[in-house]
Structures are given as structure tokens and as C-alpha cells.
Amino acid sequence: MRRVLCVWGLILLSVVALPGAWAADPGGGFGGTGIQPGGIGGTGIHPGGIGGTGITAVGVIQRFGSIYVNGREYLLTPRTRYLVDGISGSAKDLRLGDRVTVQAAAEGRSVALEVRVDHAVIGRVTGVDVAERRFTVLGQSIHVGAHLSMALRHSEQSLPFRALQVGDVVSVSGLHQGKAHWLATAITRLYPADAAPAHVPLLLRGRVSALHLDRGTLEVGATRLRVNEAQLRALQVGQSVVIRGEYADGGIRAESVTPAALAAQGIGDRVTLVGYLDREAGRWSSDGVFLEEGAHTLYRNGDAGDMRVGGLVAIAGEVKAPGVIAVERVTFRVNPMDFDLPTLPPMASLRPVVVPQPEIERPEISPPEREPLIERPEIPDND
């Protein structure tokens, strides 16, 4: 028995001494994995924020595996948070061409902490111009590129743009061109016109163009909506808002109006943004974010004189204040779907891939060898 205990003791000591062996961490993590309570060692993921300098990417999903936005890959992990129009979602909700804001950790490979999908509009199609490749939803004029097709809800199939009909219910992701105009980067038909339910949800993203307190209404582009008086009094003309509601009883009902979230908030974060240029109060802006050029700002495919309202650009810089980017580089004449994308790797995924947490390899411990059986000599009887 003493020999058995000694053998077990030697085995346990050798396991502890193995270089790189997995060992339980009393702090709640595992030695060697980098996993710590509330965060992932080496990634900068910590509860409530990003350790060190983070990354904000505002653009469209260009490729999956995990996801590429503005030419950079962002890893999706089980800790990544997803929001779709402010509602909790999952990686399965992501679609190629979705307009997203990605908050990521900048240490090592970029790990997405949060992916926020912000649809431009959700609602009934009220007009279609196949020749001009334009259609209208909630007063928003939406331009469709030559190669963009229409996805179908809960299906891997798609339809050509010409299949879109008045009365269809769609969700649209896209880039705001100013006023009530959008460039679509993803279209999903939620319901065909003849199969839509009695109550259809709507969403409208845009700027308040007029307030009518005496009538209890507001206008976003060409759309006028009746709004609760308390919400109406909290708004201002020119403010970026998200309106949610539904179609009911042949009309449109707004249920909530909330300020649109700022795309770039983390001071000191590195930021990339693809969008259309606008001019507000003598300052350049894009997607509601102010752009501050400097003496060291670099320009690609053009120069400072090419900064024009309605120009589609890619911006790189640093968040100077919430909603303000100190611009380091401006790239003109970009395609949001392939800007700065690396060469396509073989067998690239068409769906988002979530990187699993590292598995813990435990050493195999063989049971100790038993002491050999000792054959006792036979003692003859002395009868």
C-alpha cells in the first residue's frame, strides 16, 4: 500500500511540473488559456469597456469568416454581443451588406466586442422603378446597384430586383446619401404583398425635418407621422432619430422615437468609416459624425479639393470627442462592398463563423501499476 501511494505521488508531481500544463486558476480562469473572469487575456475584452485603445468600424459587412468591415477582419467569439436595431440578436442575424457598427479590441487580432446592425428602413414598398433601379419605402428613395439582388426571409435563396412589388414588406440596409436618399447595400423581403400579416412592423431612420407640436406630428424626409406629445417635445429639428411602429388599420402608427446612437463614441479609439460626405454648420460630416481634417491628413485617389457633398469616401482616424473624428486619411471613389478587402482565401465562408473558446486539454493520467502478485510458497503438510 505504501508503494502505491508513492507511485501516485510521483505521477501528480510530474503533471504539475509539465511545462505548459493546464492548471486551475483560483481567480476563476485557467492558467495558460488567458481566460480571466469577466475578460479574455490578450484581447483587451473587459466588462464594460475595452482595455487600451479600441477600434470602431462603421461600414457594411463585406465578407464572412468571421466578418470583414472596411477591409478588416473582426473575430466573432461567444462573448461578442449583437444588436439588431437596438434589440439583442445573434451571429445568425448578420447578412452580407448589412450596415454595421463594430466595437472591437485592438490588441493582436481584432476581436469584436459588439456588432450593431442598423437598418435604414423597414416597411411596405410604395413605389418601384425597375428601369432606374429605385424604390420607395416610408418616403425614402432607395437606389439599388446593378448587381444587388433581394434576399428572402428565412431562406438562402434570392430574387432579382425586378421581382420587387408594391406592397412587399422589406428591410433595407444602406448608406445615407442625404435627405431621404439611400444607397441600398442589402435588401431582404420579409413578406410578399399578398402574404403580409395584418400588423406589419416599421422602422425609419433619418433626421427630423419638421415638428408640428399643434398637430402632434413630425416629418422625416417626405414622411409625416403622428407621435406621442411627450416624445415630440423632446425632439429638435435636424436631430437624427429612429422611429419604430407598425402599419395598422390602413395607416401608420409611430410607437417610439429615440435619438440615433452615435457611431463613434470611445475617445481615443481608432476608427474607420465608409459613408457619404455632408456639410453641417461649416463642418464636414458623414453618417452624423463630424470630420476634422488637419495639416497631416493624407488623401488617396484625390486631394482636399475633392471633398464634396455627396461624395462617397472612406475615413480613417481617431475619435477626438464623442461623434468627432480627427481625420488621418481620406480615400475617394470607394466601393463599400470591396474597399481594402484582402485577396479572397480559398473556401471562404458565406456565413459568419464564431471562433470557439479554447478547449482545455487535460493531461491523461494513467492509473498506477499495481504491485505484482507474490506467489506464496506452498508449505507441505508435515503430517
Side-chain angles (χ1 to χ4, degrees), residues 256-291:
S256 69
V257 183
T258 56
L262 283 173
Q265 301 184 57
I267 297 176
D269 276 6
R270 306 298 303 167
V271 61
T272 63
L273 180 153
V274 170
Y276 285 91
L277 288 173
D278 199 358
R279 191 79 173 169
E280 304 177 56
R283 304 169 70 186
W284 289 112
S285 68
S286 181
D287 208 16
V289 176
F290 285 105
L291 310 174

Side-chain angles (χ1 to χ4, degrees), residues 33 47 57 72 83 86 99 116 121 137 164 166 178 204 216 223 233 281 283 286 294 298 305 313 324 347 352 366 371:
T33 66
R72 183 165 187 160
L83 291 173
R99 189 271 190 191
R116 192 174 76 228
V121 62
V137 179
L164 186 65
V166 171
L204 175 59
T223 302
R233 291 186 179 278
R283 304 169 70 186
S286 181
L298 301 177
V313 298
V324 180
M347 301 300 290
S366 302
E371 291 187 16

Side-chain angles (χ1 to χ4, degrees), residues 62-97:
Q62 302 167 309
R63 185 187 296 169
F64 287 117
S66 293
I67 60 171
Y68 284 80
V69 178
N70 300 344
R72 183 165 187 160
E73 183 182 19
Y74 296 91
L75 300 182
L76 306 178
T77 77
R79 292 175 180 262
T80 302
R81 299 183 297 272
Y82 304 90
L83 291 173
V84 180
D85 298 319
I87 299 173
S88 180
S90 70
K92 295 179 180 179
D93 297 313
L94 304 181
R95 299 288 182 271
L96 199 68

Side-chain angles (χ1 to χ4, degrees), residues 308-327:
R308 296 188 179 92
V309 172
L312 182 57
V313 298
I315 301 293
E318 182 176 303
V319 180
K320 180 179 179 180
V324 180
I325 299 174
V327 179

